[in-house]
Each structure stands twice: as C-alpha cells, then as structure tokens.
Amino acid sequence: MENKNFKTWLENMQLNHPLVIAGPCSAESEKQVLEVAHELKNTDATIFRAGVWKPRTRPGTFEGNGVKALPWLQKVKEETGMLTAIEIANANHAKLAIEFDIDILWIGARTTVNPFAVQEIADAIQGTDKIVLVKNPINPDLALWIGAIERFHKMGVTNLGAIHRGFSSFRKSKYRNIPSWQIPIDLKAKYPTLPIINDPSHICGNREGIFEISQTALDLKFEGLMIETHCNPDEAWSDAAQQIKPNRLVEIMDELKVRKPRFEKEDSLSKLDALRKEINAKDDQLLETLSERMQIVASIGKAKKESNVAVLQNTRWQEILNSMIEKGEEHGLSKIFIEKMFKAIHQESISHQEKIING
Ligand code: PEP
Ligand code: MN
C-alpha cells in the first residue's frame, strides 16, 4: 500500500513541531467549543478535535450532541482558521461530516475492531480526499488495525493516517490503555509512509502522564499528537480525568524535545560505529548461546521420550523463571523483560521437544 498523500500534506504544512490535534473529548455546547478553540488558536495546535457522537460504555450517560454540534465546528473553522476533526462510527455520521465540511474524520477504537462497520464507512466515503485517521482497535491486534486501514485504501481513500491510543488489557497497569509501543512500531515498519499520530490522553487516562507518553512518541518519530484539551477539565462531560487546559498544552509543547531523524556528520560517527560493532558481536553471541541451549533442550527431549515423561515440567520451569528474574534484576534488567524473554525461550523449547517426542 502506497500512502504518500497525508505525509505530503503534512510536509507541505512546514510545521517546525509535530502536528498537534487538540480540543475537548466531547463538543458539549457551542460556548464550550468556541471558548477552547479560541484558546487553542495561538498554540501549536492546527487541528481542532471534538467528539460529536460519543461511544460511551454504558447507556444513560452523555452520548454526544450529534448533528446539532456540527455547525459549532464550522464556526470554529470560520473564527479560528483551525481545521476540524471528529469521530465517525457509521455511514450516517460519515455523510453528515462531509455535508458539514469537517476536514478530518477519525475512526474510533471501538469501530476499528468491527470490519462490517469499517467497510460501511469506507463505502460511504469512497474516493474522498478528506484525511481519514484510523485509531488502533481496542485489542492489541495489528492485523485488525491494518485491515481497517486497507479497507479505506481499497475504497480510494488515500489521505490516510493512523492514531495510536493504546490497548485494553486485563493486566493491572498505570495506564488506561497500555501503549504496547511495538505494535505501532511494527505498523511503521510495514507502511513507512503512513503517518502515525499518538493519543497520550486515551493511553494515560490522567493528566499527569501526558508529557511522558508524548515524549516517547516523539522519540519514536511519530508524526503528531492528539491531546484532549478543555478549559475546565474537571467539569468535562466525558473523560474529565485526562483532559488538560490549553495553557498546559502550551507548556507541554515547549518542554517536548523533537529529535533529529538520524545521526549527522558532526555527531562523532566513529564512536557510534564502534559501539554498533560491539552490539552486533553481542547479538551474534546471543544467537550462538541460544542455539547451544536449544541443543541441550533437544537432548533432554530425547531423555523424556525414552522415559515417556511429560514435556512440561512446571516446578523446574518456575524455578528457572524466578531465578532468572532475580538475577536479571541484579543486572539491571526489568522483571517484565526477563519474563517475556524467558517465556519466549521456554515456548520455543517446548515446541522443539514436542517435535522430538512426537516425531
Ligand atoms: C476519543 O478520541 O474521544 C475516543 C472516544 O477515543 P477512542 O476511540 O480512542 O476510545
Ligand atoms: Mn475521550
């Protein structure tokens, strides 16, 4: 999939900072929308976001002002010159967004999970030159995210980008939606010309973490940020805990460091070269060690076969894992990393022994 349009559009904006999409979680009233838009117009934010139809977990809460709010966004555009962005979740939303000349349409995380809904929207906006940003699905499924993007591309929507808003997890964590950075990194590797916007607000679920997540996103060369902004966040009708005031957005943008895409001549490349050679040598050693370890695993597999003993030896496995976590921590390696790495090694060992035992 070639997707150069949104990238080119971004480049033509010649911003000296990442693209910033800001505005409230929900368009609550005309007054609220215009108030925050006027506060944002002199900041780095060039696109104004506001939810018009809100996907709420339970019914009976505020579900957005709907079509009534669309003229408010037209006013934002007229009065501030900012572009406007809303979430669309069905063909009717799509039709109305285009009728009211909204500039950027985003697909919410709860919609990306549903290929029927995505296809319905893609059919409704076929061939549009509007920018369409596809949020990641709620669950950490890269293929589902890519599938949704492809559905739009197939219908002639080429001004495409992605929004990374984190993933739902049963695991307890400090995030509302865990970032799982490797997933957007994999998306970038697959589609290098597809711009990715980071949404720290829905990742954090609180105000305190916004800066840190935004900095990580810039360190990973994300093209932009979408940050929920409200003049009176505590009183917001949705997502009150995570919205920040426009002046905090200004502070955050001032503090964020934008990194160069790559090393340049003056950056003492010889030292870097030497360090990268060392890394390569260590990686070779790692591979050799893993391969030697797997040969021992194979011998144990043969012994298990001869004595008809089960592949999984849970007590032994727990001993290895706990001891490696403890030793890893002594070496400054995080528990999460050691767990992931040894679980992967153990899984590979099991399938190796399975092959030996079952031929
Ligand atoms: C939003 O951006 O307000 C929103 C509902 O986000 P998500 O689809 O990421 O939950
Ligand atoms: Mn929100």
Side-chain angles (χ1 to χ4, degrees):
M1 186 175 73
E2 268 295 280
N3 175 61
K4 293 220 166 92
N5 286 356
F6 179 41
K7 184 131 186 131
T8 312
W9 178 87
L10 265 177
E11 281 159 9
N12 288 345
M13 280 179 68
Q14 296 197 326
L15 299 172
N16 56 0
H17 53 74
L19 180 75
V20 180
I21 304 174
C25 178
S26 305
E28 297 165 8
S29 67
E30 180 172 334
K31 184 168 166 282
Q32 171 249 13
V33 163
L34 290 172
E35 194 182 359
V36 64
H38 277 283
E39 292 231 3
L40 286 171
K41 73 170 182 255
N42 295 321
T43 69
D44 284 350
T46 46
I47 299 173
F48 183 82
R49 65 147 282 154
V52 163
W53 297 281
K54 297 303 300 176
R56 304 306 298 280
T57 304
R58 300 187 64 192
T61 50
F62 170 65
E63 296 195 301
N65 276 298
V67 63
K68 186 171 91 187
L70 293 172
W72 308 342
L73 289 166
Q74 286 185 311
K75 266 202 177 165
V76 166
K77 203 154 41 162
E78 282 161 24
E79 292 186 14
T80 68
M82 294 174 87
L83 298 176
T84 52
I86 66 166
E87 171 176 349
I88 54 169
N90 61 37
N92 188 46
H93 297 166
K95 198 180 108 249
L96 287 165
I98 290 177
E99 195 178 308
F100 283 84
D101 204 24
I102 301 295
D103 304 287
I104 289 125
L105 316 174
W106 87 77
I107 309 303
R110 291 160 194 76
T111 306
T112 307
V113 291
N114 182 346
F116 291 125
V118 172
Q119 191 59 51
E120 176 191 307
I121 299 168
D123 290 342
I125 61 172
Q126 182 168 0
T128 186
D129 57 2
K130 302 242 177 238
I131 293 167
V132 176
L133 304 177
V134 182
K135 283 200 169 194
N136 66 252
I138 310 180
N139 50 325
D141 184 339
L142 177 61
L144 198 53
W145 195 3
I146 289 175
I149 295 166
E150 283 172 345
R151 282 180 196 278
F152 287 104
H153 197 258
K154 276 197 159 168
M155 296 315 288
V157 180
T158 55
N159 253 333
L160 279 168
I163 301 176
H164 167 233
R165 51 78 82 194
F167 304 89
S168 178
S169 170
F170 61 88
R171 241 193 257 147
K172 236 180 81 196
S173 117
K174 64 175 176 173
Y175 301 109
R176 180 179 175 194
N177 293 291
I178 52 172
S180 303
W181 292 102
Q182 192 57 46
I183 295 178
I185 290 173
D186 288 347
L187 179 64
K188 188 116 206 105
K190 190 164 167 63
Y191 296 122
T193 58
L194 182 81
I196 308 185
I197 312 293
N198 176 258
D199 171 349
S201 307
H202 290 90
I203 290 177
C204 295
N206 63 48
R207 291 168 206 151
E208 294 68 37
I210 306 274
F211 173 80
E212 193 187 312
I213 291 289
S214 302
Q215 185 62 65
T216 302
L218 298 194
D219 294 346
L220 297 176
K221 291 308 293 173
F222 279 54
E223 278 78 1
L225 298 167
M226 170 144 119
I227 301 182
E228 284 189 340
T229 317
H230 194 292
C231 290
N232 194 357
D234 287 333
E235 301 300 318
W237 297 3
S238 59
D239 287 351
Q242 70 195 32
Q243 301 198 61
I244 56 170
K245 290 188 177 171
N247 61 2
R248 178 65 191 139
L249 179 73
V250 173
E251 277 172 19
I252 287 178
M253 292 312 298
D254 281 349
E255 283 168 39
L256 284 174
K257 292 203 170 58
V258 180
R259 317 289 184 192
K260 296 185 295 196
R262 57 191 64 81
F263 286 99
E264 281 160 13
K265 274 204 253 8
E266 67 272 16
D267 291 326
S268 74
L269 285 178
S270 56
K271 196 170 149 206
L272 179 75
D273 271 351
L275 289 170
R276 284 185 165 163
K277 279 202 185 95
E278 270 184 61
I279 285 275
N280 291 348
K282 291 285 173 215
D283 285 347
D284 287 343
Q285 277 176 23
L286 266 177
L287 268 189
E288 244 165 68
T289 304
L290 284 172
S291 147
E292 283 164 19
R293 188 187 194 281
M294 212 47 85
Q295 283 160 29
I296 303 170
V297 163
S299 306
I300 296 177
K302 281 184 200 126
K304 283 179 180 166
K305 184 181 171 125
E306 274 161 31
S307 308
N308 195 30
V309 168
V311 167
L312 179 61
Q313 295 294 314
N314 209 21
T315 314
R316 162 87 178 135
W317 158 233
Q318 291 307 319
E319 274 168 19
I320 295 181
L321 187 60
N322 290 337
S323 135
M324 287 300 113
I325 288 172
E326 206 173 295
K327 287 184 187 163
E329 276 173 347
E330 284 163 19
H331 286 88
L333 299 166
S334 76
K335 180 177 177 206
I336 287 187
F337 169 65
I338 296 290
E339 248 177 24
K340 270 197 204 150
M341 186 177 70
F342 274 91
K343 279 183 182 172
I345 292 173
H346 186 237
Q347 188 57 57
E348 182 69 10
S349 306
I350 286 177
S351 40
H352 222 70
Q353 292 191 344
E354 275 287 290
K355 275 194 207 119
I356 289 166
I357 290 186
N358 299 317

